[in-house]
Amino acid sequence: MIIQLRQSFFQVFTVSLLWVVLLLSVFYGGEKVGIGYLWNVTGIAGICALLFGVMYNALWNHFTLKPIWNILISSVLSLGGAMLGTALFSTEMYHLLLPWLPGMIVVSLVLHTLAFYVYARIDSRQKAQELNAKLK
């Protein structure tokens, strides 16, 4: 499990680092970027890697918590990581989004709940098909 989570972390870190650098070059292509801001970009990639490479993977595939806890933990950490990443990218954008935080919490909870139940339904169908195939 640790090896899988480590590989997942570095895959997501690399892809998100390249994604943020691509966004910077598209939107701020003509400006020079200081070394301090590159640390911010690395921090954003690290947040994405921790959230999507480790936390979601461990939470949905390895931990055996009740669904409500999975939904709450993933919603809170996802929204917290998104806000922290936004603050690292642009403080003006962070302050612009801050008043919308209550709405984002509601949307995050609803979407994580929907995603959990869709994922659970698909997963149970696949496992039922595998079991039926083994019985034949």
Side-chain angles (χ1 to χ4, degrees):
M1 178 176 97
I2 298 296
I3 293 171
Q4 178 191 13
L5 291 176
R6 185 181 308 143
Q7 286 176 336
S8 183
F9 174 85
F10 284 112
Q11 286 174 350
V12 174
F13 181 84
T14 303
V15 169
S16 59
L17 182 67
L18 292 173
W19 178 252
V20 174
V21 168
L22 174 73
L23 288 176
L24 282 174
S25 64
V26 167
F27 292 110
Y28 302 107
E31 297 180 28
K32 292 186 179 186
V33 177
I35 191 72
Y37 196 77
L38 290 178
W39 284 111
N40 287 0
V41 170
T42 305
I44 293 169
I47 290 167
C48 290
L50 284 174
L51 284 175
F52 301 116
V54 177
M55 190 268 306
Y56 275 113
N57 194 351
L59 195 61
W60 298 106
N61 297 326
H62 300 293
F63 293 163
T64 55
L65 301 172
K66 292 184 178 184
I68 187 70
W69 289 112
N70 281 353
I71 292 166
L72 286 174
I73 291 169
S74 61
S75 293
V76 168
L77 291 180
S78 177
L79 193 55
M83 292 303 285
L84 183 59
T86 303
L88 288 173
F89 188 78
S90 168
T91 55
E92 294 89 16
M93 187 183 302
Y94 173 78
H95 291 296
L96 186 68
L97 290 176
L98 204 53
W100 295 89
L101 190 59
M104 289 189 293
I105 291 170
V106 171
V107 169
S108 179
L109 286 169
V110 168
L111 291 178
H112 277 93
T113 302
L114 287 173
F116 173 76
Y117 285 110
V118 168
Y119 174 77
R121 183 173 229 191
I122 291 170
D123 190 45
S124 66
R125 282 186 185 169
Q126 287 177 344
K127 288 182 181 178
Q129 288 175 351
E130 288 174 12
L131 288 172
N132 287 334
K134 287 183 181 182
L135 290 174
K136 291 181 181 180

